[in-house]
Amino acid sequence: DLEALEEQCHWRRYAPAQQIIGEQDDTSDVFFIASGRVRATVLSASGKEVSFRDLGAGKSIGELSAVDGAPRSANVIALSESVLASMRASDFRNVLRDYPDVSTKMMAYLVDLVRKLSDRVVEFGVLAVRNRIHGELLRLAREQSNNENTVTLSPAPTHAAIASRVATHREAVTRELNILAGDGFIDRQPGALVIRDIARLKRLVEEGFER
């Protein structure tokens, strides 16, 4: 089955910073990330770039346009050298029809995306900037952890990338990371950011909701 599906894909290698999908494009292919890492961003009305999410090997992008035929909702660029397989929207819909297991997994994936977006809406409406920064660090840590209480983010997220995700400026992120480092929550190492206590970081976010 995998070999048959692979024959329907076009493979391409992308260099760092190379665009994969353009916001409002009328393309509809689905992309499967075989290696590397990509970032989805959107542009505000004022032209400010807002980071949406980073995705690595094993993830897919472009499903929404393949399903509903609407223009692309985000830009996607390669963060590192990446290899992706693209599949035409019509072939992708056939896969969902012919392979129930794939269809079930894709529905679960999209439901998870909706839940995460709902959480972000609540955070932006309730949490102060510093707590939104805590929440973003917690999300990044959970993406890489297997229930450990100490997680190393490598490569370390840039201050600008964190700021873009929580709707603040880079200086606010730098200031809060300095505070977290001084309190022992994080440890900055060359090319990496070590989160020392996931449980304590989670409590900081929860305290923000209680205020």
Side-chain angles (χ1 to χ4, degrees):
D1 287 343
L2 286 173
E3 290 176 354
L5 294 175
E6 184 179 359
E7 292 177 357
Q8 301 179 52
C9 293
H10 173 71
W11 293 81
R12 182 175 175 182
R13 187 178 302 274
Y14 293 86
Q18 186 174 357
Q19 187 176 66
I20 302 168
I21 291 175
E23 186 176 3
Q24 295 303 309
D25 283 355
D26 58 3
T27 59
S28 58
D29 285 2
V30 176
F31 293 81
F32 305 97
I33 307 169
S35 65
R37 197 159 185 82
V38 307
R39 172 170 293 165
T41 65
V42 295
L43 290 178
S44 68
S46 63
K48 179 181 178 181
E49 186 178 71
V50 179
S51 295
F52 181 60
R53 56 179 173 154
D54 293 354
L55 297 167
K59 300 297 185 180
S60 59
I61 53 176
E63 311 89 345
L64 301 185
S65 292
V67 171
D68 67 8
R72 301 293 194 182
S73 58
N75 297 299
V76 180
I77 62 168
L79 292 177
S80 61
E81 185 171 311
S82 304
V83 175
L84 282 78
S86 62
M87 177 182 285
R88 292 183 305 178
S90 57
D91 292 332
F92 177 69
R93 291 193 295 270
N94 288 339
V95 169
L96 295 181
R97 182 195 63 202
D98 297 337
Y99 296 86
D101 287 346
V102 176
S103 182
T104 299
K105 288 286 189 182
M106 183 55 60
M107 285 190 290
Y109 172 74
L110 294 176
V111 167
D112 180 65
L113 178 60
V114 171
R115 291 184 186 279
K116 289 178 178 178
L117 289 174
S118 298
D119 290 342
R120 295 293 290 273
V121 170
V122 173
E123 287 180 10
F124 275 78
V126 176
L127 295 181
V129 169
R130 66 186 305 266
N131 297 119
R132 296 206 300 270
I133 295 171
H134 302 158
E136 182 59 29
L137 292 176
L138 187 60
R139 261 188 298 274
L140 293 172
R142 284 173 168 169
E143 288 177 2
Q144 297 194 26
S145 72
N146 293 314
N147 297 319
E148 298 111 343
N149 199 40
T150 299
V151 176
T152 299
L153 303 179
S154 181
T158 67
H159 295 191
I162 295 174
S164 176
R165 291 188 181 193
V166 300
T168 188
H169 48 82
R170 184 172 55 83
E171 292 76 11
V173 174
T174 300
R175 182 168 57 250
E176 188 57 34
L177 291 185
N178 287 337
I179 294 173
L180 292 174
D183 291 340
F185 281 90
I186 63 172
D187 181 20
R188 284 172 289 196
Q189 300 178 357
L193 180 68
V194 181
I195 300 178
R196 294 294 185 188
D197 195 332
I198 300 297
R200 288 178 65 196
L201 189 61
K202 180 182 178 181
R203 286 196 295 271
L204 285 180
V205 177
E206 292 171 347
E207 289 169 2
F209 281 108
E210 293 170 358
R211 294 193 180 96

